[in-house]
Amino acid sequence: MNEGFTPASRRTDRDTSWAAASSMILGASTQRESISTALRLYGPMGRYEIAGITGLDPVACARRLAELVAQGICEVCADRAERTPSGRQGSVWEACA
């Protein structure tokens, strides 16, 4: 599940930043797998619900969800919304068939 993903570093970053970004390739892959499994098992959810089930941070969920959408693994439900802790409306994602 990590095909097409490169470490998020800039050419001007220090070597330690490159090492940290490279170390996240496997971690991000594991996070994407956890999220896609949760969506398949539990149905459509927002990032805060996904975070509660997977134990991931909601910000990490948002990053991985964008990658999963790009891969065609999940999509945003146009007719559903999640109420975030701040009271705003948030997107809800579902696994693609």
Side-chain angles (χ1 to χ4, degrees):
M1 236 187 183
N2 58 0
E3 305 88 34
F5 292 100
T6 57
S9 299
R10 295 175 293 273
R11 261 184 289 140
T12 57
D13 285 346
R14 293 174 172 237
D15 290 342
T16 54
S17 294
W18 277 90
S22 294
S23 73
M24 268 312 296
I25 291 176
L26 179 58
S29 177
T30 303
Q31 290 174 352
R32 285 190 297 273
E33 185 63 37
S34 295
I35 292 168
S36 64
T37 298
L39 289 171
R40 284 192 313 274
L41 291 175
Y42 299 104
M45 292 182 282
R47 67 181 169 127
Y48 287 93
E49 293 173 288
I50 295 168
I53 288 172
T54 62
L56 298 171
D57 181 85
V59 174
C61 288
R63 288 186 185 124
R64 303 293 87 85
L65 283 161
E67 296 166 358
L68 291 169
V69 168
Q71 286 184 313
I73 293 171
C74 71
E75 60 190 3
V76 174
C77 298
D79 61 340
R80 296 184 64 179
E82 167 187 60
R83 176 83 50 198
T84 67
S86 68
R88 294 184 174 152
Q89 295 287 324
S91 296
V92 169
W93 289 264
E94 65 183 338
C96 292

